[in-house]
Amino acid sequence: MTAEDGDRQDRSAPPTRDIHNSPTTHGDHSIAANDIKNVIIRWVMHPSARWLPLLLACAGLVIAQALHPSGPFGQYLLCTVLAGVALVTAAVRVLIRRSSGVGFVGALSLVSVLATVGGWLAFQHGAAHADIDVTGQVVTAGTQPLDDAGNRSLVLTLGESALKEPRERLRLTLAIDDHDPSGPTCLHRTSATVYLVTSGVAAQEEQMHSGSTVDFALGARTGSVRIQLTLKTGRNCQMDVRAASAVLHDS
Amino acid sequence: MTTPSQHRPAPPRARARRHRALAGAALLALTALLAGACADPEPPSLFADGRVAVGVKNDQPGTGQETSYKFAGFDITVARQVLAGVHAEPDFSSVPSQDRSTVLTHHQKDLVIATYSITDERMKAVDFVGPYATTSQGVMIREDEAGTIRSRQDLKHKRVCTWEGTTSGKELDKPAYDDIEDYPQQDASLCIKDLEEGRADAVSTDQMILYGFTQEKDSHLKVVPGILFGSSNEYGIAMAKGHRADCRRLRDALRAYITSTAWEQDFANSLPAIKEQEPHWQTDFKPSTESIDRLSCRDHPAA
């Protein structure tokens, strides 16, 4: 084969594909797609875009923390994982050398931004359905200690302020203790009947021991919660009752 | 005779392999030693040598009494029966009420079986196996006073003796009993002496103990059936904390004893006065197995 043949062959062969700009060879749609692609690539590879995913992830984290989310850490696990992914990928994007491939840099930026958005959505969902600890807001009405004779009942209430964020259920744990720990113990002979008497909610009755937990359904919009407690204990026993834990939560 | 190959030195690769194996074994041994040294030492079993030092009462007829260097009473029988279940025998010696906890925490006794009530506070200091008996706090008077002291109201402004280190004294200190002139003595025998000699109008402690005193020969004392104070006392076998495996063995032995007919026989033999005067003694004084599970080998009563 002569050099002329070689030149001819080169001229007749299709031109090599330029990934940055090949607007004219495959129709109108391809032209538009390639334009968008080129814009994205330029944005991704632009020096000022290096910090953008990291800034976005950090801003999300700062705002989330400033909102003081309530509830246990477990409810924000997905949010935390996504925030970690967003931060790590964004940090790698910042530290990566200029010579790295466009695809890799683009993937890092994309993953970081998507993880930030996903983390924020997970945070919003967690905050909207998070458990709310209202233990300190349970008001106990009645005279303590309770006994086996004339003073067997008390009422536990949760006011409007405790219920300002609506939740479907109330998880209540009772602590029952001997009034006089230096006297004979009555704890093993003591139980309580708790009865939810809140308007708009079906009455619910449960038997409890010290340390046991009940889960009351509260309905959609409950203004206040009222729980009647009646103690059953041994002869001449005197017991103290309190809410060890009260947590509003969604199913 | 050796073959020539046995004298031949091992090739370098085989030597290296052997050295690595030796180093690995040494590392394993060292790790095992360190793990053993760092782990909590398992205390030796209280029942290992077959003899157990048991603190009991020596001045309470029916529950724990020493006569001519021999101990007798329901506590003594329970100790023998339950320890037989763990293949051990008791060495009894007396312990005053106020020292029942300290002889255990200072390791002077292995067990205390001395009409020792289970309380939440005591469960934090010692482990209990029990209850092995349940009793209420009552009142004992002289027989000649039987016509005048028949109810709680009759004790108004009366001198009632209790003794130190017991839950009975603490119960009468409550405001509800302010109209009773209760006073403490050092031990049961001094209270009985005060009652017999007229310095006290009544003695108050657990009914099991009181009925024991009424069984004494020539006793002119009487338990008033209608007067009860406070909640039921549950007697437990106490031991120092840190012996939970022994505690659970003893609990299982006690559960087996309670569910057998031996408990009723032993109780009736030690405290015949209760059998005679309390028609429901089997239900009133015998604990349930559920209460044994809820109070034994714990730092806090289970509900």
Side-chain angles (χ1 to χ4, degrees):
Chain A
M1 193 170 71
T2 64
E4 201 179 336
D5 291 336
D7 288 342
R8 208 180 299 135
Q9 264 192 341
D10 287 344
R11 274 195 296 272
S12 62
T16 52
R17 185 185 285 182
D18 178 4
I19 61 162
H20 291 273
N21 191 7
S22 56
T24 57
T25 49
H26 307 289
D28 294 342
H29 291 297
S30 297
I31 292 168
N34 280 322
D35 281 347
I36 293 166
K37 192 174 163 186
N38 285 339
V39 168
I40 291 172
I41 288 166
R42 273 196 214 105
W43 180 84
V44 165
M45 297 304 283
H46 196 276
S48 61
R50 282 175 72 200
W51 291 92
L52 212 55
L54 188 61
L55 286 174
L56 198 64
C58 288
L61 265 179
V62 168
I63 294 169
Q65 280 301 311
L67 291 174
H68 298 296
S70 61
F73 174 75
Q75 291 186 323
Y76 297 96
L77 191 62
L78 178 63
C79 164
T80 310
V81 168
L82 288 172
V85 170
L87 280 173
V88 168
T89 48
V92 174
R93 167 70 183 91
V94 169
L95 296 170
I96 207 158
R97 282 181 299 186
R98 195 179 281 266
S99 60
S100 298
V102 173
F104 181 58
V105 173
L108 279 176
S109 301
L110 188 67
V111 167
S112 178
V113 171
L114 285 179
T116 302
V117 173
W120 180 253
L121 292 175
F123 172 78
Q124 289 291 337
H125 182 268
H129 298 276
D131 292 1
I132 304 170
D133 189 342
V134 290
T135 309
Q137 296 175 69
V138 176
V139 178
T140 307
T143 312
Q144 299 223 45
L146 300 183
D147 55 37
D148 66 318
N151 186 30
R152 297 170 59 209
S153 299
L154 53 80
V155 177
L156 307 171
T157 50
L158 268 177
E160 239 175 88
S161 60
L163 300 162
K164 61 177 183 251
E165 285 186 58
R167 292 291 186 272
E168 294 169 9
R169 306 185 74 86
L170 170 68
R171 192 164 49 233
L172 176 73
T173 305
L174 277 188
I176 307 175
D177 291 301
D178 291 305
H179 179 64
D180 177 12
S182 66
T185 182
C186 292
L187 196 54
H188 61 296
R189 288 193 291 255
T190 303
S191 63
T193 304
V194 284
Y195 193 68
L196 182 79
V197 279
T198 296
S199 61
V201 183
Q204 296 155 63
E205 186 180 304
E206 299 277 354
Q207 293 291 322
M208 296 183 79
H209 290 98
S210 182
S212 67
T213 300
V214 288
D215 202 11
F216 288 123
L218 294 182
R221 270 276 175 195
T222 307
S224 68
V225 170
R226 185 181 156 88
I227 297 164
Q228 180 95 32
L229 182 146
T230 306
L231 198 77
K232 187 182 171 194
T233 187
R235 183 183 50 79
N236 288 345
C237 290
Q238 292 191 314
M239 310 302 292
D240 292 326
V241 180
R242 65 187 166 84
S245 164
V247 175
L248 295 166
H249 69 104
D250 284 335
S251 321
Chain B
M1 188 176 130
T2 55
T3 59
S5 65
Q6 281 175 305
H7 291 294
R8 205 181 299 151
R13 195 177 291 174
R15 267 207 306 269
R17 242 192 333 253
R18 205 160 52 215
H19 286 156
R20 274 202 299 272
L22 274 171
L27 195 68
L28 263 175
L30 190 68
T31 310
L33 271 172
L34 280 173
C38 294
D40 282 341
E42 181 72 21
S45 170
L46 297 174
F47 318 129
D49 61 359
R51 308 293 302 183
V52 179
V54 181
V56 294
K57 297 306 299 277
N58 63 351
D59 59 351
Q60 295 180 182
T63 49
Q65 188 178 31
E66 187 182 9
T67 316
S68 308
Y69 305 107
K70 281 190 176 175
F71 286 90
F74 188 61
D75 287 350
I76 311 303
T77 311
V78 168
R80 290 202 175 104
Q81 291 273 15
V82 174
L83 284 174
V86 295
H87 311 294
E89 284 186 24
D91 287 329
F92 294 115
S93 55
S94 66
V95 58
S97 292
Q98 61 269 32
D99 294 343
R100 288 177 293 193
S101 177
T102 46
V103 294
L104 292 171
T105 51
H106 293 172
H107 303 290
Q108 292 158 348
K109 297 278 184 284
D110 297 321
L111 302 176
V112 164
I113 310 180
T115 55
Y116 200 22
S117 300
I118 303 172
T119 72
D120 193 5
E121 199 171 77
R122 287 173 180 166
M123 283 175 88
K124 288 176 176 62
V126 294
D127 275 347
F128 282 98
V129 174
Y132 63 85
T134 301
T135 180
S136 297
Q137 182 178 343
V139 161
M140 183 169 67
I141 56 171
R142 289 183 299 276
E143 270 182 342
D144 57 11
E145 294 270 14
T148 53
I149 301 176
R150 284 183 294 191
S151 69
R152 159 75 181 80
Q153 294 305 311
D154 297 331
L155 284 174
K156 263 187 181 178
H157 312 301
K158 298 285 185 191
R159 281 177 60 78
V160 178
C161 185
T162 58
W163 54 96
E164 291 167 359
T166 65
T167 52
S168 311
K170 287 177 187 165
E171 178 65 28
L172 290 189
D173 286 339
K174 288 181 178 172
Y177 308 115
D178 277 349
D179 57 351
I180 297 175
E181 291 177 24
D182 65 298
Y183 72 98
Q185 269 291 14
Q186 275 186 323
D187 55 41
S189 55
L190 289 173
C191 267
I192 301 300
K193 201 174 173 194
D194 280 1
L195 181 62
E196 286 173 338
E197 294 174 2
R199 286 187 293 277
D201 299 304
V203 169
S204 180
T205 190
D206 302 335
Q207 283 191 321
M208 260 178 75
I209 299 171
L210 297 179
Y211 275 115
F213 283 113
T214 65
Q215 293 171 185
E216 285 273 83
K217 198 182 169 191
D218 301 327
S219 168
H220 299 291
L221 304 176
K222 180 184 175 6
V223 175
V224 186
I227 305 177
L228 297 176
F229 296 115
S231 56
S232 297
N233 280 293
E234 315 268 16
Y235 289 155
I237 301 167
M239 64 202 305
K241 286 201 180 287
H243 299 275
R244 282 283 160 91
D246 286 340
C247 189
R248 285 188 284 269
R249 281 181 67 195
L250 219 54
R251 178 198 61 195
D252 294 343
L254 175 65
R255 203 191 283 128
Y257 174 53
I258 293 280
T259 49
S260 73
T261 54
W263 187 93
E264 272 100 345
Q265 286 168 9
D266 293 341
F267 191 87
N269 287 339
S270 298
L271 295 155
I274 292 181
K275 191 184 173 188
E276 285 165 19
Q277 292 174 51
E278 296 281 343
H280 305 296
W281 66 275
Q282 280 149 313
T283 48
D284 289 349
F285 290 86
K286 185 176 177 178
S288 65
T289 49
E290 288 79 25
S291 57
I292 294 174
D293 293 335
R294 288 173 180 175
L295 296 175
S296 295
C297 315
R298 295 175 183 274
D299 299 327
H300 183 68

